[in-house]
Amino acid sequence: MRAARYHGPGDIRIDEVDRPEVTDPEDALVRVTHTAICGSDLWFYRGQQDRDVPSGVGHEPMGIVEEVGEDVVSLEPGDRVLAPFAISCGECEFCRKGLHTSCSNASGWGGENGGGQGEYVKCPTADGTLVKVPDRHADDPETLKSLLPLTDVMCTGHHAAVNAGVEAGSTVAVVGDGAVGLCGVLAAKRLGAERIIAMGHHENRLDIAEEFGATDRVTERADEAVERVHELTNGGVNHVIEAVGMESSMNMAFDVARPGGTVGYVGVPAGIEEAEFLGTAFGDNIALKGGVAPVREYIEELMADVLQGTLDPSPVFTKTVDLDGVPEGYAAMDEREAVKVFVDLT
C-alpha cells in the first residue's frame, strides 16, 4: 500500500509499504477513505519531538472495514467507521470510567498498525475503538467531512469545555486559535455558553471562531491581551479553555481566569519550565482540569449532533489534499497557511 511516512524534520514522503494484516481475533483492517493532518503532527515535523526514521504518521483515519478477526462482534466488512486517535479496549478499568486514553491495553496507529495517513490501517481491539457511522449517512461527502474532526480536534475541544465547567449562561475565554481552540469555541457554544471570547492572532481563524459562536475576539498579545479580557469581563472569566500547551499560553489562561474559576487544558504541554501559572492558581484558587482527550467517550454523543445537523466542525478544514498532497499539507500547516488539512483518499 501507499502511506505517508516521516523521514526527518520537514521531510514527509509517500512510500510503498507492507499492508497491515489481521493477526489477532480482535483486529479489524480498515481501508482509509479520509484522514487529516493534526497540529500535534507538527511537533515531529519541526524536529521538536523524537520519532523513528522512517515511520508511518497520522492518527485520524476514517474508512471502510475490509476484514475483521473472528472475535469482533460489533463490526463487519463494508461498515463505515470513525477511528479515535487512541486505540482502546473498551473493557478495562479506565475505559469503563471514560478514560480511554489511559486504557490498560492502549496502542497507537503507527508501527505495524500502519499509521493513519495511508491507504490501510489495522485496528487492534476493534470493538473497543472503532465507531460505526449509520448506513444512511455512510456515503454522504458533506456529512463525512463534518464527522472527521470527531476523531480528534472536536472531541478534544469538547473535553476542554467540559473540564472548564462550561454550562448554560457561562462566560468563557478560549486561549488559542488553532483547530482545537476553534473546536473549543464550538463546544462551548454547544454547551450553552452565553459569551465566548476567542483569543488569537490570526484574523482568518478568528473569523471561523465567530462562525462557531464567539462573541468577542482578542488579538492583543501578552499582558495587553489579559488586560483586554479583564476589561471585557470586569475582572476575568470563570471558565477558560487552554488549547495551545506553551508556558505563555498557560500563564495567560490563569491570568484571565477569575478567582475560583477553572482552566480546562488540552494543549499538549511543551517547553513548560517555570510554571508561573501554578502560583496564580494557588493564590486565586483556580482549578486546573483536563489532559489528553478520551475521544471514544465523547464521539457517539457528538456524532448524533452532527447527523441531526446541529453541529458542524468541518470549517476547521481550510485545505484539502489527496494522499500525494500530504507533504504539501504538512508544509501548509507548518507555515500557518492552513488551519487543518483534510486528506481525501477516495
Side-chain angles (χ1 to χ4, degrees):
M1 71 171 191
R2 301 170 69 240
R5 292 204 299 173
Y6 172 74
H7 285 266
D11 188 0
I12 302 293
R13 306 177 196 172
I14 307 303
D15 294 337
E16 290 283 345
V17 298
D18 291 336
R19 179 187 300 184
E21 297 181 354
V22 170
T23 56
D24 185 275
E26 297 183 349
D27 289 350
L29 181 67
V30 177
R31 175 174 57 84
V32 178
T33 59
H34 306 84
T35 186
I37 302 173
C38 183
S40 65
D41 292 332
L42 296 180
W43 290 114
F44 61 77
Y45 183 76
R46 293 169 173 166
Q48 296 171 314
Q49 185 182 76
D50 292 336
R51 192 179 188 93
D52 290 342
V53 177
S55 59
V57 294
H59 55 258
E60 301 164 282
M62 172 197 290
I64 305 296
V65 175
E66 292 273 304
E67 181 184 353
V68 297
E70 60 185 16
D71 290 348
V72 175
V73 297
S74 64
L75 302 164
E76 59 185 28
D79 286 344
R80 164 83 61 185
V81 291
L82 284 173
F85 68 78
I87 294 170
S88 55
C89 71
E91 299 177 347
C92 71
E93 168 193 355
F94 302 107
C95 287
R96 291 198 304 271
K97 66 171 60 174
L99 286 175
H100 298 76
T101 44
S102 296
C103 175
S104 299
N105 304 294
S107 58
W109 293 108
E112 65 175 15
N113 295 330
Q117 293 164 8
E119 293 178 322
Y120 290 86
V121 290
K122 180 178 75 171
C123 181
T125 58
D127 284 325
T129 302
L130 299 176
V131 179
K132 181 181 175 181
V133 177
D135 291 342
R136 65 184 180 277
H137 299 285
D139 298 310
D140 180 68
E142 291 186 6
T143 300
L144 297 180
K145 191 171 186 178
S146 296
L147 286 172
L148 188 62
L150 273 58
T151 60
D152 188 340
V153 292
M154 184 63 230
C155 290
T156 297
H158 178 68
H159 186 57
V162 168
N163 278 280
V166 178
E167 57 188 3
S170 296
T171 296
V172 184
V174 179
V175 180
D177 58 7
V180 171
L182 296 175
C183 286
V185 170
L186 190 55
K189 180 67 174 179
R190 177 181 176 275
L191 292 172
E194 183 175 307
R195 191 173 190 186
I196 304 169
I197 302 167
M199 306 179 68
H201 309 308
H202 305 88
E203 295 293 348
N204 62 324
R205 298 179 180 215
L206 294 174
D207 289 342
I208 298 173
E210 289 193 357
E211 179 183 346
F212 281 175
T215 56
D216 303 86
R217 60 170 76 189
V218 170
T219 58
E220 291 86 350
R221 296 176 180 270
D223 291 344
E224 292 183 0
V226 174
E227 291 172 6
R228 181 60 179 150
V229 173
H230 279 251
E231 289 173 2
L232 290 169
T233 59
N234 193 30
V237 302
N238 286 317
H239 313 279
V240 185
I241 290 173
E242 195 287 324
V244 182
M246 301 296 289
E247 184 148 15
S248 58
S249 61
M250 291 293 285
N251 288 339
M252 182 172 294
F254 281 91
D255 287 343
V256 301
R258 211 173 193 87
T262 303
V263 174
Y265 78 109
V266 291
V268 180
I272 294 176
E273 298 177 357
E274 297 181 7
E276 177 183 325
F277 57 87
L278 290 178
T280 306
F282 182 81
D284 284 339
N285 284 278
I286 300 169
L288 176 64
K289 297 182 65 178
V292 58
V295 167
R296 187 62 182 82
E297 174 68 5
Y298 302 126
I299 197 168
E300 290 175 271
E301 172 189 351
L302 297 181
M303 181 167 68
D305 282 9
V306 171
L307 297 183
Q308 69 181 6
T310 59
L311 179 67
D312 180 15
S314 64
V316 299
F317 293 121
T318 59
K319 184 178 179 65
T320 299
V321 298
D322 58 12
L323 183 58
D324 286 322
V326 167
E328 174 193 343
Y330 272 83
M333 286 183 62
D334 181 46
E335 295 163 10
R336 298 189 181 277
E337 294 175 355
V339 177
K340 188 170 179 65
V341 174
F342 181 75
V343 184
D344 189 342
L345 284 78
T346 59

